[in-house]
Amino acid sequence: MPRQGPVLLTVEDDPAVSRAIARDLRRRYGSDHRVVRSETGAGALEVLRELTLRGEATALILADYRMPGMNGIDFLEQAMDVVPQAKRVLLTAYADTQAAIRAVNDIDLDHYLVKPWDPPEEHLYPVLDELLDTWARDSRPGFEGVTLLGHQWASETQDLKEFLTSNQVPYRHLRGPEGAALQGTAAIPDESLPAVIMPDGVVLTCPPLREVAERLGLATTAGSPLYDLVVIGSGPAGLGAAVYGASEGLRTLLVDRAGVGGQAARSSLIENYLGFPQGVSGAELAQRARDQAVRFDVEMLTAAAAVDVVAQGEGRVVRFDDGHEVTAHAVVIATGVWWSRLPAEGADDYAGRGIYYGASAHEAPGCKGEDVFIVGAANSAGQAALHFAQYANRVVMLVRGPDLRLRMSEYLVGRIEADSRIEVRTCTEVTAAHGDGRLESITVTDTRDAGTESLPATRLFVFIGAEPPTSWLSPEFARNERGFLLTGPALLDADGRPPREWPLARTPYHLESSVPGVFVAGDVRAESVKRVASAVGEGAMAVTLVHRYLEAT
């Protein structure tokens, strides 16, 4: 039989039910997938091994829970060792749903479906469509993306890796000038690295992010001079505002200097986000939100930095670093925060050369067999520690306070304490970094007795503090002492009156800045709740207030 794309494998011991499942799958996916049936778990494992040996990709496995010899949960757990990227779905009767829910956590099950599912258009296909879309994004059986040539310990290489990752661009990293030979490209001199090789063979040496974006077909300049709404920042708050604004009929422009997702996109697994019982990676959540924004015709700009927002009459002018500008009826600022710099001697010398601020999930495989150090004690640090522990020889968390529970959710603390690969050192801070061109060791100090210790370290990931990127805004925008933007009630004096500079008779709306018509959502706002769910909620709430503002003007 000729190959018809990735395999969809069904495992069901009842022949009649097995044929019905296969029929439903072929009706929807038969044109670009191959449906394979098996009636036992043991037989299905042999099928998977044979498919893998032949080089065929398995995209999805659907296994019945109640099967003789090997039940569906046991089979799916063993199948993960053979085809770890395949999406796994358990088929259950209503009476078995509790077992299926437990399997979501115990074996990282992707989904469970209760039989029967008629009509499949409502109860089967939407679930499988989403799983197959995710599999297609994450699986790269034949590489057709960008090749990045660059030294592992160069900060410029790291910047390009982060840019490509945040924009969901498939790439591979070949290290050093010798990587050019592997790519079949003429040798590139050391001073011309990093270099980006496009799928069409074009080589960009030491390229600015804007040039890479343009070569990739990403928009860097607005297509219109006028919009109903401009959203600056594409983290959860910005994406939430863009999706809700466009879905409610506002012509919306979304602007970001790097790529979608913000800091949340670097989270390896967000486990307490509503509606995702098995958790969701930050990158996947960002991609889903981006897909929604595209569906609602949000226009997106990448590698475009806003440098000013100015009120001109009823319009709000957003100016960019390349000199162009757009006018909007309203603006939402959702630029999030940056991780604070590590206050250790020599730390700035190794930024991107062993010291990294935050950590994308793609960094973890490169740490296989190494010791990884993480500075921080909030949820982001905990999520990173658990993710790196799957690859690294050891993960050491350096925590300034006396207890992880002071700032981290209990579900993360419990998992960290139960993981033998993670060591937590409390009352410890990094006071110096050392190395020759790259990080090689760190000095840590015990805050209780001021004793110091030198530790060999090549990778240190920092998750401390939060600094709002608001210096580009004019003094008209009121901030608190840390630079976070003040909004709504925070702008009022003790008698509930707005500042003298406020030009309107009404008081500012809840998320409205000191410049009318410019709203603030997410972490960059003073006194915001630093959680993904609250950021999305503020983005949606900002759009509600934008409508109120537009109706009143």
Side-chain angles (χ1 to χ4, degrees), residues 236 261-272 282 337-340 356-361 372-389 395 397 399 404 407-409 411-413 416 422 461-466 523 530-532:
Q263 278 194 9
R266 297 187 174 193
S267 296
S268 54
L269 191 65
I270 303 170
E271 296 186 81
N272 58 355
V337 294
W338 296 334
W339 294 115
S340 297
Y356 307 99
Y357 291 89
S360 297
V372 169
F373 292 82
I374 291 177
V375 181
N379 280 8
S380 295
Q383 291 161 353
L386 289 166
H387 185 62
F388 277 107
V395 175
M397 297 189 69
V399 179
L404 276 180
R407 297 182 57 204
M408 190 179 294
S409 296
Y411 80 94
L412 286 172
V413 175
I416 288 170
I422 302 177
F461 296 90
V462 181
F463 298 84
I464 57 173
D523 290 357
K530 304 300 189 282
R531 288 290 186 270
V532 174

Side-chain angles (χ1 to χ4, degrees), residues 189-334:
D190 208 53
E191 61 271 16
S192 296
L193 294 178
V196 175
I197 303 175
M198 294 294 170
D200 60 3
V202 172
V203 179
L204 309 177
T205 59
C206 298
L209 298 184
R210 187 181 184 88
E211 181 182 3
V212 176
E214 290 171 347
R215 283 285 185 176
L216 291 170
L218 302 173
T220 59
T221 304
S224 170
L226 180 63
Y227 295 86
D228 295 317
L229 175 65
V230 171
V231 180
I232 303 172
S234 65
L239 285 165
V243 167
Y244 279 93
S247 68
E248 294 174 9
L250 299 178
R251 187 177 185 186
T252 302
L253 176 69
L254 179 63
V255 179
D256 201 291
R257 67 169 65 229
V260 297
Q263 278 194 9
R266 297 187 174 193
S267 296
S268 54
L269 191 65
I270 303 170
E271 296 186 81
N272 58 355
Y273 193 75
L274 187 66
F276 292 88
Q278 69 272 37
V280 59
S281 73
E284 182 180 353
L285 187 64
Q287 182 60 37
R288 288 170 182 257
R290 183 186 185 281
D291 291 345
Q292 280 183 299
V294 170
R295 178 187 172 197
F296 289 118
D297 296 324
V298 173
E299 185 180 336
M300 298 185 184
L301 296 190
T302 302
V307 296
D308 203 1
V309 178
V310 179
Q312 289 187 0
E314 294 186 359
R316 300 295 175 263
V317 177
V318 180
R319 294 173 178 155
F320 298 94
D321 58 351
D322 65 352
H324 86 278
E325 61 183 39
V326 298
T327 300
H329 296 304
V331 172
V332 172
I333 297 174

